[in-house]
Amino acid sequence: MTPAPLSDDPNGRHRDPMTGAVTEEALLHFLEAVLAMAEPVGPQVGMLCLGIDGLDGITARHGTAVRDAALLGVADRMHERIRVQDLVGRVDGGFGVCLADIFPAQAVAAAERLLRCIRAMPVPTPIGALALTCSVGLVLSRGGTDQAPMLLDRARDLREAARRSGGDSLVTSLQGRPG
């Protein structure tokens, strides 16, 4: 069972006003609840961190309006492609996704689909369609002693490893899986 995402947020305290993704704080609360319900066998809980490659350069060259359009375009693609039980949140300058009740192969496939989708579909911006790539880090947990902030930090570290390796890639902590 998965906790319901935040649907009533009349004051907008739990959502990023630009992208509609939940705040990092709300994502961590959701992740903590999902981890608390995780079973020792079967599906796991995934935490995915995604950063747009070269976003700082895009901002420096074209300004915040183009950066915001890029973030919104990526957020739209993420919201369109995640399952109803998953939750997209803003993490650092990018995004995080809590993947509730998911098997390792499903989590890797979901992350790879997001990478392909973002790569294949340029986002509309004030300067025209902009092709983007992303770096993604993915970790899985069965709950237990794992805490939400620790899981998020591990996913961030893997996202940075993907970025350092040239970007446009996925790095996971799964044994025997390509990263």
Side-chain angles (χ1 to χ4, degrees):
M1 183 149 117
T2 304
L6 304 166
S7 57
D8 284 337
D9 189 12
N11 300 322
R13 294 176 307 200
H14 303 293
R15 296 230 177 244
D16 174 55
M18 180 181 53
T19 64
V22 299
T23 63
E24 185 172 322
E25 178 186 8
L27 182 64
L28 282 169
H29 285 296
F30 183 81
L31 178 58
E32 198 68 54
V34 172
L35 286 168
M37 293 187 299
E39 298 290 330
V41 296
Q44 297 179 38
V45 176
M47 185 64 227
L48 180 151
C49 275
L50 181 147
I52 300 171
D53 296 329
L55 188 60
D56 290 340
I58 291 169
T59 305
R61 281 189 303 282
H62 304 293
T64 58
V66 173
R67 178 205 62 207
D68 291 351
L71 287 166
L72 183 57
V74 169
D76 287 347
R77 281 150 184 78
M78 293 177 76
H79 283 110
E80 292 166 358
R81 283 169 177 75
I82 64 164
R83 303 169 309 165
V84 67
Q85 68 264 38
D86 300 331
L87 185 64
V88 176
R90 285 300 307 271
V91 172
D92 305 326
F95 299 94
V97 182
C98 176
L99 303 166
D101 297 325
I102 196 160
F103 289 100
Q106 292 173 311
V108 170
E112 290 172 343
R113 274 193 309 274
L114 278 174
L115 279 170
R116 282 192 307 270
C117 169
I118 292 166
R119 183 185 314 123
M121 297 174 58
V123 298
T125 73
I127 62 166
L130 186 63
L132 299 172
T133 60
C134 293
S135 296
V136 176
L138 172 66
V139 295
L140 291 174
S141 174
R142 292 199 178 277
T145 61
D146 283 337
Q147 301 288 318
M150 180 192 71
L151 205 59
L152 180 58
D153 287 343
R154 287 182 16 218
R156 280 183 176 128
D157 291 345
L158 293 172
R159 177 197 61 202
E160 292 311 308
R163 197 173 273 158
R164 285 189 305 273
S165 73
D168 194 21
S169 64
L170 165 66
V171 175
T172 74
S173 63
L174 309 175
Q175 296 296 324
R177 295 298 308 195

